[in-house]
Amino acid sequence: MEVLCEASGTNACPSGGVGIYNPGYWGMNIERTKVYRATMYIRSSESVELTVSLTSSDGLQNLASHTITGDKEDFVEWTKVEFDLASSGRNTNARLQLTTTKSGIIWFDQVSLMPSDTYMGHGFRKDLASMLANLKPRFLKFPGGNYVMGNYLVNAFRWSETVGPWEERPGHFNDAWAYWTDDGLGFFEFLQLAEDLGACPLWVINDGASLNEEVPSATIAAFVKDVVNGIEFARGDPQTAWGSVRAAMGHPEPFPLFYVSIGNQECFKHYYKDNYVKFYSAIKASYPDIKIISSCDASAISPVNPADLYDVHVYTSSGDMFSKSRMFETTTRNGPKAVVSEYAVTGNDAGRGTLIAALAEAAFLIGLERNSDVVEMASCAPLFVNDNDRRWNPDAIVFNSWQHYGCPNYWMLHFFKDSSGAALHPSTIQLSNYDQLVTSAITWNNSQDGNTYLKIKVVNFGSKAVNLNISVTGLQTDIQTFGSIKTVLTSGWLRDENSFQQPDKVVPAASPITNAGEQMGVVLDSYSLTSFDLLLGSSQGLHSVSGWSLHSSM
């Protein structure tokens, strides 16, 4: 920053000085009484008198300020400066500005402003990370699909360049989604977030392929070694080369990395299968307990092209997604299980996250639940989007600098957050001339109250309300008269969406079940997802339900 005006005289600077500012990403959300940590590196051959401020977007409202002063010799070399700014006001569209009335040249690098109060103290926005935590995720896939590949390899995600001190990370251009990242959110931070969420990390590696390029098998060795080094960073003893880097970052204990995905749906690429075997062999030689996920489907997996799991991506219309509830019913029960690592309803009826899209995805997930003997895990995509920079629709969670909301498909996922580790039970639907219902039944233990519940989920994908009789057989103890809950996700129009203005337009509504029992008459709303959580007796075991069915009462 070259300043040409003076503190006084004929060439005096304007009142308040001159300088530079940064508005963050479409404005910074500064809250009253909150504390923000400012960090920057400064270099100057002259003395420094600099004011660092948080202001409104026009600079007229001053929320907080701090003055940095130093003699000529104080900033001859790059010098790190850190301090706290406590805001006296609130502004959702604020900026960070650096001003002075002293002539001269000041160099800045790695200028950062972060809230002091973040999720688990590890840098993530509390509101957004809490929305993720509320889903009780069992795994976290990172750093993503196209993001890890890049359009060109020069812009691919390189894990080793995203660890260590933040200010030493070179950053890279994410050409897949067209923005620069300083990689402050790097490999370590992804592992840390998974740990904070209580989720297993699933690392998608760069296997030498971008969207437009591919490394031949003859020269893939460096990429293979890099991946093995990455696993050592995550899991290695602090005395190992890369484990020591993790320990120096404040995490001497290893991260529980047990899933590695070789690439991102790249089976069609010329060198993929040959390169895959090299990655597989090297990883298994050093870490035989890691489950390796192939980008090829089950038909391509063999003794010469082995895999523990195989990756599946499903993007389609709502009608087709509903029909895919039967997708895995004819899958062979032998061999590796599927990882449905990306699924979403797309197209016109998806909008920016509609009710009908969420119901179709719910039906699909019920199908995965019913076929969990051949499906290991599933995750929606994409998860987050900044409303100011939509490159893809729909997304589960939408945010800006200060607001957030969940789309209907986010709230739909709450119906499944107790499915992992639950016991699946046989279920049938006996309705004539109506094929718009999909259902499943599980028993699960509520860790908060210690109770066991029979959860019956039903998607009604049709335009008619349905009267049903539920019949449950095989219980060792009775369903309790009180304590059962019915939860419904529906809305007035099948394309209803949530928004900042109406964040709760399409959200689950819970109510007590007054007629809970082995025989129940219920009504399913049109275009709805309904969950019946039936409280079971205290001696009820997880595997005691032999079956249940739905019968039309009409």
Side-chain angles (χ1 to χ4, degrees):
M1 182 173 77
E2 184 174 4
V3 180
L4 303 178
C5 58
E6 305 281 354
S8 60
T10 57
N11 192 30
C13 293
S15 175
V18 296
I20 54 179
Y21 69 84
N22 188 316
Y25 294 94
W26 301 280
M28 299 179 181
N29 179 38
I30 304 300
E31 300 181 67
R32 186 186 302 274
T33 73
K34 291 293 182 67
V35 176
Y36 302 85
R37 170 51 59 105
T39 305
M40 65 190 69
Y41 283 76
I42 298 176
R43 190 180 65 161
S44 177
S45 58
E46 303 293 335
S47 61
V48 170
E49 186 171 335
L50 182 75
T51 299
V52 181
S53 305
L54 297 176
T55 74
S56 56
S57 61
D58 57 10
L60 298 179
Q61 179 190 16
N62 191 295
L63 302 167
S65 63
H66 175 85
T67 301
I68 300 172
T69 58
D71 296 331
K72 183 176 181 178
E73 60 273 12
D74 291 340
F75 296 101
V76 173
E77 303 293 336
W78 282 111
T79 303
K80 185 178 183 179
V81 179
E82 287 188 290
F83 51 89
D84 289 334
L85 291 168
S87 177
S88 61
R90 173 174 174 79
N91 194 299
T92 61
N93 189 28
R95 70 190 193 188
L96 173 70
Q97 65 180 35
L98 314 175
T99 58
T100 185
T101 58
K102 186 180 181 302
S103 64
I105 298 176
I106 306 176
W107 293 83
F108 299 99
D109 202 357
Q110 298 300 108
V111 180
S112 171
L113 184 77
M114 288 286 285
S116 60
D117 185 22
T118 59
Y119 187 73
M120 299 288 196
H122 293 138
F124 291 91
R125 266 176 58 172
K126 271 190 169 181
D127 57 343
L128 301 184
S130 295
M131 288 193 76
L132 188 53
N134 289 340
L135 292 175
K136 296 165 59 175
R138 292 299 185 97
F139 74 97
L140 180 69
K141 174 191 172 188
F142 60 82
N146 290 359
Y147 180 74
V148 74
M149 299 173 68
N151 290 334
Y152 296 93
L153 282 170
V154 68
N155 294 321
F157 181 87
R158 297 275 184 251
W159 77 264
S160 60
E161 295 182 353
T162 73
V163 299
W166 161 71
E167 61 271 22
E168 296 178 10
R169 304 178 190 182
H172 75 283
F173 181 63
N174 169 23
D175 60 0
W177 300 108
Y179 62 82
W180 174 265
T181 171
D182 66 0
D183 285 324
L185 173 55
F187 189 44
F188 177 88
E189 287 75 21
F190 278 119
L191 289 165
Q192 183 71 75
L193 177 60
E195 181 177 85
D196 290 343
L197 294 170
C200 294
L202 191 165
W203 181 26
V204 183
I205 68 163
N206 184 285
D207 59 355
S210 68
L211 293 177
N212 296 301
E213 296 172 307
E214 189 178 9
V215 175
S217 300
T219 55
I220 198 64
F223 284 82
V224 173
K225 185 176 187 302
D226 185 62
V227 167
V228 175
N229 288 342
I231 300 173
E232 182 180 274
F233 173 87
R235 290 183 41 171
D237 189 273
Q239 280 69 49
T240 61
W242 283 105
S244 66
V245 177
R246 182 198 69 244
M249 296 180 71
H251 203 287
E253 301 83 8
F255 289 106
L257 176 62
F258 295 105
Y259 291 93
V260 172
S261 181
I262 309 298
N264 172 55
Q265 287 290 284
E266 299 154 23
C267 191
F268 65 94
K269 286 186 173 288
H270 181 71
Y271 294 106
Y272 179 80
K273 290 183 180 179
D274 288 342
N275 287 347
Y276 169 87
V277 172
K278 295 179 184 296
F279 282 100
Y280 182 95
S281 300
I283 293 171
K284 286 291 188 179
S286 299
Y287 303 94
D289 59 345
I290 284 183
K291 289 188 176 182
I292 296 179
I293 305 167
S294 170
S295 284
C296 297
D297 62 26
S299 65
I301 295 171
S302 67
V304 296
N305 189 30
D308 298 298
L309 303 157
Y310 64 96
D311 197 9
V312 177
H313 294 185
V314 180
Y315 293 105
T316 187
S317 65
S318 61
D320 190 52
M321 185 69 82
F322 178 81
S323 69
K324 288 186 184 301
S325 64
R326 300 178 177 272
M327 179 175 174
F328 289 94
E329 289 187 356
T330 58
T331 299
T332 177
R333 283 12 225 181
N334 300 316
K337 296 173 72 172
V339 175
V340 185
S341 71
E342 297 182 27
Y343 70 85
V345 169
T346 57
N348 293 333
D349 54 1
R352 291 191 167 194
T354 59
L355 170 67
I356 194 67
L359 297 180
E361 291 178 11
F364 177 67
L365 288 182
I366 285 177
L368 301 189
E369 191 172 75
R370 291 171 64 97
N371 291 275
S372 54
D373 58 323
V374 293
V375 181
E376 179 96 349
M377 58 182 81
S379 56
C380 71
L383 187 60
F384 288 102
V385 67
N386 189 311
D387 191 52
N388 295 283
D389 191 34
R390 286 182 178 267
R391 307 295 178 92
W392 179 275
N393 285 308
D395 309 89
I397 301 170
V398 183
F399 67 96
N400 57 22
S401 72
W402 62 287
Q403 297 169 296
H404 67 269
Y405 66 87
C407 291
N409 66 332
Y410 167 79
W411 294 108
M412 174 274 294
L413 289 173
H414 284 258
F415 288 72
F416 293 86
K417 65 184 182 181
D418 300 306
S419 295
S420 294
L424 180 71
H425 302 291
S427 58
T428 59
I429 300 176
Q430 298 176 13
L431 290 177
S432 59
N433 302 318
Y434 194 76
D435 59 357
Q436 300 298 300
L437 298 185
V438 176
T439 185
S440 69
I442 61 171
T443 44
W444 63 282
N445 283 325
N446 188 329
S447 59
Q448 293 182 333
D449 60 20
N451 291 325
T452 300
Y453 293 86
L454 171 66
K455 181 190 288 286
I456 299 171
K457 294 190 292 289
V458 189
V459 171
N460 183 359
F461 202 64
S463 59
K464 296 179 181 179
V466 179
N467 296 311
L468 292 176
N469 287 324
I470 292 178
S471 176
V472 181
T473 61
L475 291 176
Q476 293 179 356
T477 59
D478 292 336
I479 293 173
Q480 301 300 290
T481 304
F482 301 101
S484 296
I485 300 294
K486 172 185 174 182
T487 308
V488 181
L489 181 69
T490 190
S491 191
W493 185 45
L494 56 86
R495 294 200 180 185
D496 276 346
E497 302 177 359
N498 292 334
S499 63
F500 290 127
Q501 294 73 33
Q502 294 181 291
D504 300 326
K505 188 172 186 178
V506 187
V507 297
S511 60
I513 298 176
T514 58
N515 63 333
E518 282 77 11
Q519 306 292 326
M520 292 169 46
V522 300
V523 177
L524 300 178
D525 295 332
S526 62
Y527 296 116
S528 66
L529 167 61
T530 305
S531 172
F532 303 94
D533 284 279
L534 305 177
L535 177 62
L536 302 181
S538 58
S539 63
Q540 176 67 40
L542 278 178
H543 298 279
S544 61
V545 181
S546 62
W548 71 280
S549 60
L550 296 178
H551 302 269
S552 172
S553 63
M554 294 181 289

